[in-house]
Amino acid sequence: MSILTSPRGKVEVVHCRRTESQDISCIKNLIRKFTQKLFGRLNVIYLLEKANLAITLCNDKEEIMAQATFLDYPNWNVSRQDDWVSVFQELDSEIPCTPLNTLFMHLFVAVNEYSVGCCKEIIRTMFKAVPELYFIFLIVPSYVSLGSTLITVFDLVGNIPSLTYDEDFAVHICHRHRHYPQLHIRKARVEDHDDLMPIFMYHNTILKATYGDYFLAELIEAQDEENHAVVCEVEGVAVGFMSVCSRVNMQLLHKCFDLGPFHGLCTPHPDDVLEPPRELSVPGSQDAELNCSIQDSQKTARESQEPVTAEARESGNNQGKTAEEAAFEELSSIVHSGNTSEMEDLENLRQVSTEDDTNHCVSNMSSASISLPEETQYFRPIYMGASSAFCIQLFCIDEKHEARSLDFMNFVFGLFPDKNFCLISLPHLTPEFVLIQNFVKIVPFNNCTLEQDLYVFHRAGLLKTINIRLANLSDTPGVENLVSTLMLNKSILEDLKQYNEARRDPDGTPLQAFVADVAEQIVGIAVIRNEMDIEYIRSHYNIEDFIYFSHHQREEHGHLHHFALNPIFRHYTKFFLKEILRLGYKSCLYYPIYPESRESKFQNSYAHSLTSALHYLVPVRPRRQIVYPLEKLGINAPSKAVSKAPLSYALNHTNRKLTLEPKITVNARIVVIGASSVGLSFLETLVFCSHLKFNNLTLISTHGLPGKNLLGTKQRKFLASDHCFNDKDHALLSLCSWVNVVVGRMTAIDRAAKHVVVSQEEIVLYDHLILCTGQQYQVPCPTGADISQLLTNREIPNSSKQRYTGQIPCNHFTLNDEEDCLKALTWMRNNSIIIEGNVIVYGGTIDTYTTVEALLNLGMKGSNIHLVQPPPTSTVTCINNYSVESAVEDTLRAAGVTIYREALLAQWNEGQNPDPIHSASFTTPTKPFKLPCSIFFSFCEKSVDYETFKAINDACLVYDGRLVIDINFHTNDIAIRAAGPLTKFSNKYYSNEWSHSSFSSKEIGFQLAAAMLSLFDPTLEPVTEPPSDLDRLIPMYKGAKIQGGILPGSYHYLHVAKPAIPTPLEVQIGQPDFGSEIVTGNVKDGTYFRIHINKYKMVESITCLSKETFPASNYIRLFGQHEQVLNNLCARYEDKLITDLYSYFTEPWCMALFHDRFIDLRKELRQILTSKEEEELPSIEQLAHQIEDEEINLNEKPRKYLRRVYQETIYKTLVEKSILSYLHYNHYHLPMYAWPGII
């Protein structure tokens, strides 16, 4: 916040923020004729779309006071955007302007009364937001004066000619030092104590409480050769402090952190052991395996110091010069050390992508998914050289000057001429401040249990001479050395060779290669191609969340193939990307991550290399696609670029607007237990928060992340689906690129130490623990009844809640996920069960039907399959539709499958050793029976896994049949949240009928993430506590509850319904407010389609049963729509115009209903009808309320009156305009619609 005073004495409190799209109309209103003379006639939307940084100044009423737009190349076409440096050096060689330290003002507008103050505030904000920025240039026609505002901050440099106009342009410059200067750094003195203590006390009082009032003075006095204290000062007042020490516990660092990319922070020594013995060596290393695993345990580089007498040192200027020179000398050895790009290799092993001419393929290997020989995991390099690092022990700076924190580094490196690395360790919950944004975070080893993050900065990182340019042939040796440790080094070199030879691929695709050089050494390489599939990207990914697509030319979209940068210069990654866009004349870059790998194709010439730039890109959400009836649409179908089979890759993106936009780093250790739909939805929501960077997301799951497509696309699924995620969704999200995966089972929770125990041995630390393990099928516990005594169910004690504790037979399977299904299928094939075995499927869920269908589809005889259903625990069946159930059972009987009802498992193998199962005995309400058994599938009622229950119970979390939570997902431990079927609401809500299992798992996961984001996202409004009379109400989520699968008889089944307490369908139909149902076809023919319309004429449930495949994702979109939106569905059905709903919903008119942005159109139309568009008339919504409250006396029916008002006022025009805009903007998805002007 700043205060501006106008010449007339008026005062405004103002603040700066990034310009947003809704500011455009206000910016246009501030443009005057003089503005156009200075900057030309501008398309504001286009300018903002291509700007590197645009700043808006607002007052406390959020009224726009001023706006300025900055780009990294000149306006008025005085030079080419890729070659302006030489032009400006010719103009004034004494101005050391470079692409790193220079930006150009392309627009400035302001409210006249406050224009001078606004201009100065925006300029100061610019220099503060971009620490590397030293010069801002303004270019205007030479015959135009700057005016009274801009002249206050810009000075004339000279004139340069335009490339297109026959006139000269005046170049003006604004220097940093006049607005937000570099800080003066010097050795600390005891008299600085009084200036510094208020700053320390503002941030932290612990030091004073621990060491006394004069701890800072004592620290300053204790300086010696190993310990130094420095301050930064402004106008003679100390505003920041840093204490550094050269004594570092290197042994502990080597034990806890992977320091290989930095040669262990030691000087090279002949006796260094950098590789395991040959008999132990394998490609890669365990360090690589674990770099993306458990990043929640860190280490401090500090060591306690002994106070000694301080000694005077050289002046700051001399020391700064020494550091700069030493950096140049050190750089050559670092670049040629052989470890230059190892960090890229280590940190991104899970992102390897390959593609060839016909197929796209990539590997995203999470750490836990990589299997390396056991003996290599304990190898650690041994460094014999002297330590080359010093550490920052204490650092504090006034918030006003925090952006200049890096100014300390040049001075402190001068204090240690023989040291090349500066270390700092921080508690991992410390918000990432400006100084460490320039450091590289070190990856801990998996056995590290220290509580701090370690960051490192190399002396050469001080160099500001980094130069990004197009590659040439002479760069090849330097690039070869740079990428020698990368897995895809051959691919990079082949692309570089292709660029140097032809500048394009053999198929004609333009190709560009860029290198980063420092002191004539190659420290980075990037290869891009033109993005040739941009129509597909636009139609399949939400890139329009980040760009206005129509303002970007086709050739401005680039495809990032390779990116490697020396970790010393990691803090220049965004600058590298910005320069790629400028020099390559691009505005957008895209980087795909494919779901699978082909080891043999790692060196394919079209492969994507590992990229350390991934965290500087933003993940782009995939778009839900319409399943088009292409044959029916004919020439009105979308283009092949839109409707072709999806390539299934996760897309990452950056553009010019994002190059200077920082992400908020979240280092909190968020550990999710269970890869359920709830857990995956939670992680998805966090990962796709584009302005946040979560460094420590960890998933602990029995089988890791799902989506491996283990059974293949042709194999019938054993389990029903909830349609939350499928294999394609997992490929499009690529959670393994952002989430550390630990394969194992949670066996204990230590709430005091805040860690979970995995598989009874490994420890994973957490700050926030998310329990969403769900419920699983369990091994049934036989009642032990002796069927020879002809017992019935009534005579046997109920053992349904008992846990089976005996030996689990090798041929007993509980199928809970695809891994379990693959294991069972493999066992069946290996033991010839499919040909001649007897299968018992025991349970009463829909999964029993889908499993029987999968077995029949494998070729198993129906007579060898026994479907045994235990006594029902509810009056509601698993399908809850008698028509569907009768069709399925008729099919089973026709196939020869025997169905047994109300049967309780009594014994395996007549009470003998159950491993393996040869027979199973059951009791019924009448007489018992015994079945031969080759394999036993159990689908008894799901419950919480025993190990999960034991871990929860032993941790003293409240458990009452299920884990108890409140409406905000909290357990009785504030650091532990839970969601999904694992949980139940606390009894204080008096809602035992409702639980998370009643709702959509995907929506639950989203709401859980939304509840947690308020802890990490400063852009969100503070969460307000609900009124006291509402805090006892449970939340009601509105997303549809879905189940589907392939039932016996190859019936494709889908059921979509609103969340509700389970009630038999017959009871629902009998309710007076049931509404109506629309049914076409019949179950026998496999043409059954049922839609339930509630009393409000909204679609409340959908049931489909078909012999043919149908577009389930389309039909799910019908849920919650009004029947009139479905082309007056009820009226047409009553008039017998609809005989087949399957055919009805393939007609061209309904394609918009299935479009992913149709919901946005509905919201927009509703907003129009609820807004007051005409002053003398109320809104349509207000009219409806007045009619309802009988405030208006009508001579006609209310509906007719509202329709007449709608047609006679502006609302009809606005609605039609909105609909036509929607169709026009989305024409690539909806070409079957016509609009005015198309014919």
Side-chain angles (χ1 to χ4, degrees), residues 446-479:
N446 66 322
N447 60 349
C448 176
T449 56
L450 296 169
E451 289 290 332
Q452 298 205 346
D453 293 329
L454 179 66
Y455 297 83
V456 63
F457 184 88
H458 190 273
R459 177 189 295 272
L462 293 170
L463 298 174
K464 304 297 183 184
T465 56
I466 185 169
N467 178 39
I468 315 298
R469 56 176 173 78
L470 287 166
N472 55 51
L473 196 60
S474 63
D475 296 326
T476 303
V479 173

Side-chain angles (χ1 to χ4, degrees), residues 867-883:
L867 178 57
V868 183
Q869 297 177 342
T873 57
S874 168
T875 56
V876 182
T877 61
C878 62
I879 294 179
N880 198 18
N881 187 312
Y882 177 76
S883 300

Side-chain angles (χ1 to χ4, degrees), residues 21 154 158 202 384 429 489 521 574 601 652 781 803 1189:
S21 57
F154 285 96
Y202 175 79
M384 306 302 293
L429 289 180
N489 55 355
Q521 302 293 334
K574 275 203 167 185
K601 298 208 172 185
N652 299 277
C781 184
R803 184 173 70 92
D1189 298 337

Side-chain angles (χ1 to χ4, degrees), residues 410-660:
N410 210 26
F411 190 93
V412 295
F413 270 108
L415 297 174
F416 301 105
D418 59 331
K419 306 292 185 184
N420 294 316
F421 297 96
C422 176
L423 307 178
I424 186 170
S425 64
L426 299 168
H428 54 267
L429 289 180
T430 303
E432 188 175 86
F433 48 91
V434 174
L435 179 65
I436 62 170
Q437 288 173 359
N438 297 282
F439 283 57
V440 177
K441 185 180 178 184
I442 300 299
V443 178
F445 289 132
N446 66 322
N447 60 349
C448 176
T449 56
L450 296 169
E451 289 290 332
Q452 298 205 346
D453 293 329
L454 179 66
Y455 297 83
V456 63
F457 184 88
H458 190 273
R459 177 189 295 272
L462 293 170
L463 298 174
K464 304 297 183 184
T465 56
I466 185 169
N467 178 39
I468 315 298
R469 56 176 173 78
L470 287 166
N472 55 51
L473 196 60
S474 63
D475 296 326
T476 303
V479 173
E480 287 178 350
N481 183 70
L482 178 74
V483 303
S484 60
T485 59
L486 291 180
M487 299 170 70
L488 285 171
N489 55 355
K490 290 184 180 178
S491 175
I492 297 174
L493 295 173
E494 287 172 6
D495 280 348
L496 178 62
K497 179 181 178 183
Q498 182 69 30
Y499 167 76
N500 284 324
E501 291 178 352
R503 298 294 194 268
R504 60 185 62 245
D505 286 328
D507 63 0
T509 304
L511 173 70
Q512 291 175 301
F514 302 89
V515 294
D517 73 62
V518 179
E520 300 181 356
Q521 302 293 334
I522 303 299
V523 298
I525 173 74
V527 177
I528 68 169
R529 290 176 169 84
N530 279 15
E531 180 52 74
M532 306 305 290
D533 216 3
I534 192 60
E535 291 84 3
Y536 177 87
I537 288 178
R538 184 192 185 191
S539 61
H540 284 72
Y541 298 88
N542 272 310
I543 58 170
E544 285 161 312
D545 287 349
F546 304 99
I547 64 172
Y548 282 103
F549 186 83
S550 57
H551 289 282
H552 297 261
Q553 301 297 319
R554 181 183 180 89
E555 61 274 9
E556 289 184 303
H557 297 277
H559 185 116
L560 180 63
H561 275 257
H562 306 293
F563 188 97
L565 183 63
N566 189 308
I568 292 171
F569 302 99
R570 181 70 57 82
H571 54 292
Y572 286 131
T573 300
K574 275 203 167 185
F575 172 65
F576 198 166
L577 292 171
K578 181 171 78 75
E579 284 295 275
I580 290 173
L581 294 172
R582 181 180 71 87
L583 298 173
Y585 288 84
K586 304 297 181 195
S587 59
C588 303
L589 287 178
Y590 304 93
Y591 181 77
I593 301 177
Y594 293 87
E596 298 175 356
S597 67
R598 293 182 181 176
E599 300 290 335
S600 60
K601 298 208 172 185
F602 272 173
Q603 299 295 343
N604 183 284
S605 60
Y606 288 89
H608 293 70
S609 72
L610 316 174
T611 172
S612 58
L614 189 64
H615 274 291
Y616 298 92
L617 309 179
V618 293
V620 186
R621 279 190 179 275
R623 295 180 63 179
R624 186 184 65 251
Q625 297 299 302
I626 302 172
V627 181
Y628 295 98
L630 295 176
E631 293 184 5
K632 197 165 188 175
L633 291 174
I635 61 172
N636 292 322
S639 66
K640 291 183 178 180
V642 173
S643 61
K644 67 182 180 180
L647 302 176
S648 296
Y649 56 77
L651 186 69
N652 299 277
H653 164 77
T654 192
N655 58 57
R656 297 184 62 84
K657 293 183 294 185
L658 297 176
T659 53
L660 292 178

Side-chain angles (χ1 to χ4, degrees), residues 234-488:
V234 175
E235 297 178 354
V237 177
V239 296
F241 176 84
M242 180 181 287
S243 171
V244 292
C245 176
S246 62
R247 287 188 294 135
V248 178
N249 189 340
M250 299 304 296
Q251 184 178 357
L252 188 58
L253 290 183
H254 292 161
K255 178 181 177 182
C256 296
F257 293 94
D258 178 13
L259 298 170
F262 302 97
H263 200 83
L265 306 178
C266 297
T267 55
H269 191 278
D271 297 332
D272 288 340
V273 181
L274 304 179
E275 296 180 358
R278 286 193 175 183
E279 62 271 14
L280 299 181
S281 63
V282 292
S285 70
Q286 182 69 7
D287 303 343
E289 174 191 349
L290 294 170
N291 81 88
C292 51
S293 183
I294 309 172
Q295 294 190 15
D296 47 24
S297 16
Q298 323 297 344
K299 151 75 186 88
T300 173
R302 299 179 193 166
E303 196 175 325
S304 59
Q305 61 176 6
E306 299 175 7
V308 291
T309 306
E311 293 181 7
R313 291 296 166 198
E314 298 177 11
S315 70
N317 290 338
N318 288 338
Q319 288 165 342
K321 184 177 178 181
T322 303
E324 185 82 5
E325 292 172 350
F328 273 102
E329 295 170 2
E330 172 65 16
L331 177 63
S332 178
S333 64
I334 289 295
V335 170
H336 290 97
S337 67
N339 286 317
T340 53
S341 294
E342 190 174 342
M343 181 63 85
E344 277 75 8
D345 202 350
L346 292 173
E347 284 199 352
N348 302 283
L349 187 58
R350 63 195 186 285
Q351 297 133 13
V352 183
S353 54
T354 63
E355 60 175 329
D356 55 25
D357 296 325
T358 59
N359 195 13
H360 294 262
C361 194
V362 76
S363 159
N364 291 313
M365 295 177 283
S366 68
S367 61
S369 303
I370 305 171
S371 178
L372 293 177
E374 186 73 21
E375 59 268 19
T376 64
Q377 65 180 342
Y378 298 110
F379 173 76
R380 298 286 183 266
I382 299 174
Y383 304 100
M384 306 302 293
S387 168
S388 186
F390 65 92
C391 65
I392 297 174
Q393 292 183 308
L394 202 57
F395 173 70
C396 193
I397 191 169
D398 191 301
E399 284 185 6
K400 294 180 181 179
H401 305 282
E402 185 184 7
R404 299 306 311 170
S405 299
L406 199 63
D407 293 345
F408 275 100
M409 300 309 295
N410 210 26
F411 190 93
V412 295
F413 270 108
L415 297 174
F416 301 105
D418 59 331
K419 306 292 185 184
N420 294 316
F421 297 96
C422 176
L423 307 178
I424 186 170
S425 64
L426 299 168
H428 54 267
L429 289 180
T430 303
E432 188 175 86
F433 48 91
V434 174
L435 179 65
I436 62 170
Q437 288 173 359
N438 297 282
F439 283 57
V440 177
K441 185 180 178 184
I442 300 299
V443 178
F445 289 132
N446 66 322
N447 60 349
C448 176
T449 56
L450 296 169
E451 289 290 332
Q452 298 205 346
D453 293 329
L454 179 66
Y455 297 83
V456 63
F457 184 88
H458 190 273
R459 177 189 295 272
L462 293 170
L463 298 174
K464 304 297 183 184
T465 56
I466 185 169
N467 178 39
I468 315 298
R469 56 176 173 78
L470 287 166
N472 55 51
L473 196 60
S474 63
D475 296 326
T476 303
V479 173
E480 287 178 350
N481 183 70
L482 178 74
V483 303
S484 60
T485 59
L486 291 180
M487 299 170 70
L488 285 171

